[in-house]
């Protein structure tokens, strides 16, 4: 009987539901790494374009028809600026009483442009001087007259993302200094209120 009681006590202890179980040890949580610093987007490089072109340059000078232009353009994808030196082809204006005037223009056009896809719109100013040389006149002289105008240009380039592209443009300007020539008291030529330029250019995208 003593053996049986001892065995029962042993079984009771073994299956006691209130006996405490060993608590497993928990590992401390690993520390979180510090957050990475924000990555700043790389600044887009400036676009540099070179252009060589010819234009029909109307009413910049008497009988003016053609001009040569070289341009440098700097800017981003949407806004850019350009400077464009211009030289016109010399022309001769015959006078009613005999003689003539030889003329040509030297100057430059500058503008700020907005670019959308293939198309560009610009506000422009042009400054320079027109040279007039009398031919076959009494007391013939050569003079330079300042010429300034302002207006707008629209242009289209194709293809848009290649190293070399072709551009067509049209420009209309209002003279700020309106030229007027007199031979004695007789008007020989007067610049109109609106001048225009229509051109083609070969574009080289340097960057």
């Amino acid at each position: 009987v003593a053996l049986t009681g001892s065995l029962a006590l042993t079984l009771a202890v073994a299956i006691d539901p209130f006996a405490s179980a060993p608590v497993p040890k928990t590992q401390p949580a690993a520390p979180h790494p510090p957050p990475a610093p924000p990555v700043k987007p790389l600044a887009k490089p400036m676009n540099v374009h070179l252009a060589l072109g010819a234009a029909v340059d109307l009413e910049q000078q008497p009988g003016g028809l053609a001009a040569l232009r070289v341009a440098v353009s700097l800017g981003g994808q949407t806004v850019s600026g350009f400077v464009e030196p211009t030289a016109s082809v010399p022309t001769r204006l015959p006078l009613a009483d005999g003689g003539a005037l030889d003329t040509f223009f030297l100057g430059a056009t500058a503008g700020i442009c907005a670019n959308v896809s293939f198309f560009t719109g610009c506000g422009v100013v042009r400054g320079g001087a027109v040279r007039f040389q009398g031919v076959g006149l009494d007391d013939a002289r050569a003079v330079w007259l300042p010429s300034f105008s302002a207006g707008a240009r629209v242009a289209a380039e194709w293809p848009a993302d290649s190293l070399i592209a072709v551009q067509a443009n049209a420009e209309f300007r209002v003279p700020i200094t309106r030229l007027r020539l007199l031979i004695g008291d007789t008007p020989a030529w007067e610049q109109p209120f609106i001048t225009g330029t229509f051109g083609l250019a070969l574009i080289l995208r340097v960057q």
Side-chain angles (χ1 to χ4, degrees):
V1 177
L3 180 60
T4 304
S6 176
L7 179 60
L9 178 60
T10 302
L11 291 175
V13 172
I15 63 173
D16 184 3
F18 298 103
S20 59
V23 178
K25 294 183 178 180
T26 58
Q27 297 294 331
H32 293 288
V39 179
K40 295 182 179 180
L42 296 177
K44 293 184 178 180
M46 296 283 286
N47 296 326
V48 181
H49 297 172
L50 303 178
L52 175 63
V56 176
D57 204 0
L58 302 176
E59 302 298 341
Q60 177 61 67
Q61 67 195 53
L65 186 61
L68 300 177
R69 307 187 296 189
V70 178
V72 178
S73 175
L74 299 173
Q77 295 295 326
T78 57
V79 178
S80 61
F82 73 90
V83 177
E84 183 180 74
T86 301
S88 71
V89 176
T91 58
R92 173 165 289 189
L93 174 67
L95 301 175
D97 296 335
L101 289 174
D102 287 344
T103 66
F104 68 90
F105 169 79
L106 286 177
T109 302
I112 299 296
C113 305
N115 312 306
V116 178
S117 184
F118 299 96
F119 303 101
T120 300
C122 309
V124 299
V125 293
R126 174 184 275 196
V130 181
R131 184 179 188 270
F132 295 90
Q133 170 68 60
V135 179
L137 300 173
D138 296 336
D139 192 24
R141 292 175 296 171
V143 296
W144 289 88
L145 297 181
S147 176
F148 296 94
S149 57
R153 174 186 293 189
V154 292
E157 292 183 16
W158 187 89
D161 299 321
S162 67
L163 177 64
I164 298 176
V166 175
Q167 183 193 83
N169 57 73
E171 183 176 301
F172 297 94
R173 300 180 309 276
V174 176
I176 300 172
T177 55
R178 191 162 168 247
L179 300 178
R180 188 167 184 260
L181 291 179
L182 297 176
I183 304 299
D185 295 329
T186 304
W189 177 77
E190 187 172 11
Q191 196 172 35
F193 290 101
I194 295 178
T195 63
T197 303
F198 304 90
L200 288 173
L202 186 65
I203 307 295
L204 174 62
R205 297 185 174 98
V206 180
Q207 179 175 312

